[in-house]
Amino acid sequence: MTLIMDVSVVALRVLLPIYAIIIVYQCFASMRRRRRPERPLVLLQDTNTGVKIPVLFWENSIGRASGSDIAVDDPAVSRNHCVLLRRKEGWFITDTGSKSGTYLNGRQITRRAQVRIDDVITIGNTNFAFRRGEEYHEELKSSWFFSKVVNKPSIQPYKIMILVSLFHVFMGVEAIFCDAPEEYGSYLNPAVLCGVYVAVEWAFFAVSTLALKRSAFEIESLCLFMTGIGVMLLARQITPGATLQPAYVQLAGAVIGMALFCFIVKFIENPDIIGKWRHIIMIGAIGLLAVNIVFGKVQYGAANWIKLGPVTVQPSEFVKIAYIFVGASTLDRLMTKQNLIEFIGFSAICVGALAFMGDFGTALIFFLTFLLIAFTRSGDFKTLILAVAGAIGAGALVLRFKSYVLDRFQAWGNVWDPRYMNDLAYQQSRTLTYIASGGLFGVGVGNGCLKYLSASESDLVFGLMSEELGFIISVTLSLTIVMLFIYARSVATRSRSAFYTISSCCAAGMLVVQMSLNIFGSTDILPLTGVTFPFISAGGSSIISCWGLLAFIKAADERTHSLRAGKQERSE
């Protein structure tokens, strides 16, 4: 009987990587399907030449710049002249500070003005007649991510959820039959932990599909999949001195994160509301950083933790969400200089405060996200070059006055050097050793040795995954984060607002940067920065933040909105 059980557990280790690949593939394959066909929403017809220009997006920049959604070859037109946008009430045009002004039916506009079919929009010396999209008969080029599979049926959401839940059950089985010695710590019951988490993910599924009536659940399924892996890895994690069981702290954080996810998706349904809350969110984020500076507790070299009774909170994780709110906006607001100046100032405060607290890993995440937002907003390489130059100068000052950061750079690339292997590079050298010992299929949940190392469940979690679950699963989960970014970039062309375009791309980009720093830092490809692996690393603040960022990616998915709009049109 024991032999049969041992063989079954070994077989499970081999099958889990294949199973993980199937889950990730099914989710992304389903995300490519059930899309609305690409067609012009309306069109602009040049009254002089008769040329018809299809309008494909809900928000469209119009100007002389080649990067404009509708580029106009007219010297009298400004580079960023005006914005044509669609809202629930209809279509609107707004001037964005052009030199010659924007005219609707011969009258100059000073604020958003509603545009109706057959109205004439004048910019510079060019007149555009506003026409119905059905009058455009030429074929449009589809986005590569959605081509060739639009009409193919996708797997039902509940079936994906069954696959995800079974994977977590199998991890629970591995944890139950873990052969690690009991004297190393007080272990919780993996069966109870697994059962509670499976109940949580199905409750979230019910709320999303039945109460919120979301038409798709692939993005959430992927992140439930990763979150569950992180929770189950903690079932056998050694945490000496912990006042609370980290697995249940992680589980509680995931529940709060899912609730925050639902709130944010609902809150940003109307992108114009964000402009009204933008300054309040900005002030709140600065206040959080100020509180952190005053009351922060030094932990792992950074004063970015606040102790609240038995738990510690990392406010900078929540500032990430606020940063996306402030950096993104509707297209007509993005074009204003005041908006840009405010965002640059807010970015400087965030990065400066994090550097002052010693949290250079998070500061780097914010800075790289700033570059991504700045480029997405303007497409201007000069701004990026100036920002990078300034960052290099700031980095030199950091190395000059923060000696422990310089120590990490000294050990970087020298983890096997006897001078560093058992000192500055102790964590990285052990992580690399245990990644190798895990091989492709891992040694099983709870059977690894890296868990006895400090921060193995957070900063070094890539090594923990690789050792216990195998290198195949670790790479699969890493590629899942990367594919979320590719997906966010692909749906950007279908988003209803520039707010969704920028926020989804930058939220996904922030997750990719965070993951990359975690992996490359723990494996000595980059200096160790102490940031977490999204959805996997232990930490209640981190998991809440990840689910909050995920909401921006979900909001960019137009399928639920299109389904509702189609039902409304049919009822009318």
Side-chain angles (χ1 to χ4, degrees), residues 501-563:
T501 298
I502 294 176
S503 63
S504 62
C505 288
C506 294
M510 185 176 280
L511 294 175
V512 170
V513 170
Q514 186 173 322
M515 176 202 70
S516 301
L517 292 176
N518 179 277
I519 295 175
F520 297 150
S522 62
T523 56
D524 197 41
I525 297 174
L526 290 175
L528 186 63
T529 54
V531 299
T532 56
F533 192 113
F535 300 101
I536 304 292
S537 289
S541 299
S542 175
I543 194 69
I544 293 171
S545 170
C546 289
W547 276 96
L549 293 175
L550 183 70
F552 296 108
I553 304 174
K554 178 65 177 182
D557 184 355
E558 95 300 338
R559 285 178 290 176
T560 295
H561 178 83
S562 298
L563 182 63

Side-chain angles (χ1 to χ4, degrees), residues 126-363:
T126 305
N127 296 317
F128 289 112
F130 191 74
R131 307 294 191 196
R132 299 183 186 278
E134 292 81 358
E135 296 182 28
Y136 191 83
H137 304 294
E138 297 182 26
E139 185 176 354
L140 295 174
K141 184 179 179 181
S142 298
S143 171
W144 68 270
F145 188 86
F146 302 114
S147 61
K148 301 181 181 178
V149 292
V150 173
N151 297 320
K152 189 175 180 180
S154 59
I155 186 171
Q156 292 296 318
Y158 76 89
K159 294 181 179 179
I160 294 180
M161 280 298 299
I162 292 174
L163 293 176
V164 170
S165 297
L166 284 176
F167 188 95
H168 297 144
V169 169
F170 292 149
M171 282 190 68
V173 171
E174 279 197 357
I176 289 171
F177 293 101
C178 159
D179 58 7
E182 289 286 342
E183 64 266 20
Y184 282 104
S186 176
Y187 295 154
L188 52 81
N189 189 331
V192 174
L193 178 65
C194 181
V196 172
Y197 182 75
V198 169
V200 165
E201 59 187 3
W202 277 97
F204 178 58
F205 173 75
V207 170
S208 181
T209 55
L210 300 179
L212 300 180
K213 300 188 182 303
R214 296 285 165 186
S215 63
F217 201 73
E218 302 93 349
I219 296 175
E220 297 93 325
S221 296
L222 283 170
C223 296
L224 285 172
F225 173 57
M226 291 188 288
T227 300
I229 289 176
V231 169
M232 293 310 301
L233 280 174
L234 292 172
R236 297 300 195 189
Q237 184 67 24
I238 304 300
T239 51
T243 56
L244 293 174
Q245 173 50 248
Y248 285 112
V249 172
Q250 187 80 348
L251 184 56
V255 172
I256 297 172
M258 293 172 199
L260 179 64
F261 169 88
C262 295
F263 171 78
I264 293 177
V265 170
K266 187 68 178 178
F267 179 69
I268 61 180
E269 277 187 347
N270 182 355
D272 289 326
I273 292 180
I274 308 305
K276 300 176 182 179
W277 285 86
R278 187 171 180 269
H279 290 96
I280 297 175
I281 293 172
M282 186 188 304
I283 294 170
I286 295 173
L288 267 180
L289 292 173
V291 170
N292 206 157
I293 291 174
V294 175
F295 300 103
K297 174 187 175 183
V298 177
Q299 189 168 333
Y300 305 117
N304 60 345
W305 297 88
I306 295 179
K307 189 170 181 60
L308 300 173
V311 300
T312 54
V313 180
Q314 194 172 5
S316 59
E317 291 291 339
F318 308 126
V319 176
K320 291 177 182 178
I321 301 172
Y323 191 72
I324 299 295
F325 269 114
V326 175
S329 188
T330 56
L331 193 60
D332 52 339
R333 293 180 180 271
L334 287 177
M335 296 297 180
T336 63
K337 291 182 179 180
Q338 179 183 353
N339 185 294
L340 179 60
I341 292 172
E342 287 177 353
F343 174 61
I344 292 175
F346 179 62
S347 300
I349 292 173
C350 289
V351 174
L354 290 167
F356 182 80
M357 290 185 287
D359 190 359
F360 296 104
T362 306

Side-chain angles (χ1 to χ4, degrees), residues 322-561:
Y323 191 72
I324 299 295
F325 269 114
V326 175
S329 188
T330 56
L331 193 60
D332 52 339
R333 293 180 180 271
L334 287 177
M335 296 297 180
T336 63
K337 291 182 179 180
Q338 179 183 353
N339 185 294
L340 179 60
I341 292 172
E342 287 177 353
F343 174 61
I344 292 175
F346 179 62
S347 300
I349 292 173
C350 289
V351 174
L354 290 167
F356 182 80
M357 290 185 287
D359 190 359
F360 296 104
T362 306
L364 180 59
I365 293 173
F366 271 73
F367 175 70
L368 293 176
T369 305
F370 165 77
L371 295 182
L372 183 58
I373 292 178
F375 181 73
T376 307
R377 288 168 62 123
S378 65
D380 186 6
F381 282 102
K382 295 179 182 178
T383 303
L384 303 188
I385 292 172
L386 288 173
V388 171
I392 292 174
L397 291 175
V398 168
L399 295 178
R400 173 69 177 82
F401 295 104
K402 299 287 186 177
S403 59
Y404 71 91
V405 178
L406 183 60
D407 290 341
R408 291 183 180 181
F409 275 87
Q410 289 178 344
W412 176 31
N414 299 298
V415 294
W416 304 116
D417 190 316
R419 295 174 298 171
Y420 305 116
M421 188 171 68
N422 294 311
D423 185 16
L424 296 176
Y426 184 85
Q427 290 176 303
Q428 296 98 313
S429 62
R430 271 56 181 181
T431 298
L432 290 169
T433 299
Y434 295 132
I435 288 176
S437 68
L440 294 177
F441 304 103
V443 298
V445 177
N447 291 329
C449 296
L450 187 62
K451 66 181 179 182
Y452 303 122
L453 197 63
S454 174
S456 61
E457 78 286 1
S458 53
D459 301 351
L460 310 177
V461 76
F462 179 78
L464 183 68
M465 282 193 299
S466 298
E467 182 188 18
E468 297 193 357
L469 298 178
F471 192 67
I472 294 176
I473 288 182
S474 294
V475 171
T476 300
L477 297 181
S478 303
L479 291 177
T480 299
I481 302 291
V482 174
M483 284 298 296
L484 277 177
F485 176 77
I486 295 175
Y487 173 78
R489 177 64 188 87
S490 299
V491 300
T493 58
R494 294 163 172 255
S495 296
R496 295 181 291 120
S497 170
F499 174 82
Y500 300 127
T501 298
I502 294 176
S503 63
S504 62
C505 288
C506 294
M510 185 176 280
L511 294 175
V512 170
V513 170
Q514 186 173 322
M515 176 202 70
S516 301
L517 292 176
N518 179 277
I519 295 175
F520 297 150
S522 62
T523 56
D524 197 41
I525 297 174
L526 290 175
L528 186 63
T529 54
V531 299
T532 56
F533 192 113
F535 300 101
I536 304 292
S537 289
S541 299
S542 175
I543 194 69
I544 293 171
S545 170
C546 289
W547 276 96
L549 293 175
L550 183 70
F552 296 108
I553 304 174
K554 178 65 177 182
D557 184 355
E558 95 300 338
R559 285 178 290 176
T560 295
H561 178 83

Side-chain angles (χ1 to χ4, degrees), residues 58 86 559-570:
W58 282 60
R86 177 181 175 181
R559 285 178 290 176
T560 295
H561 178 83
S562 298
L563 182 63
R564 291 175 181 173
K567 289 181 178 178
Q568 184 176 357
E569 290 175 1
R570 287 192 295 271

Side-chain angles (χ1 to χ4, degrees), residues 21-73:
I21 294 172
I22 291 173
I23 290 173
V24 173
Y25 170 79
Q26 288 292 348
C27 288
F28 280 108
S30 181
M31 289 156 70
R32 298 184 64 185
R33 304 163 188 162
R34 298 168 58 196
R35 318 294 307 191
R36 62 174 173 83
E38 292 188 348
R39 60 178 183 270
L41 301 171
V42 291
L43 64 87
L44 297 178
Q45 185 174 19
D46 192 318
T47 57
N48 296 323
T49 64
V51 173
K52 296 179 179 179
I53 303 174
V55 176
L56 305 177
F57 314 134
W58 282 60
E59 294 182 349
N60 307 266
S61 60
I62 304 177
R64 198 179 71 254
S66 58
S68 298
D69 298 315
I70 300 174
V72 181
D73 186 14

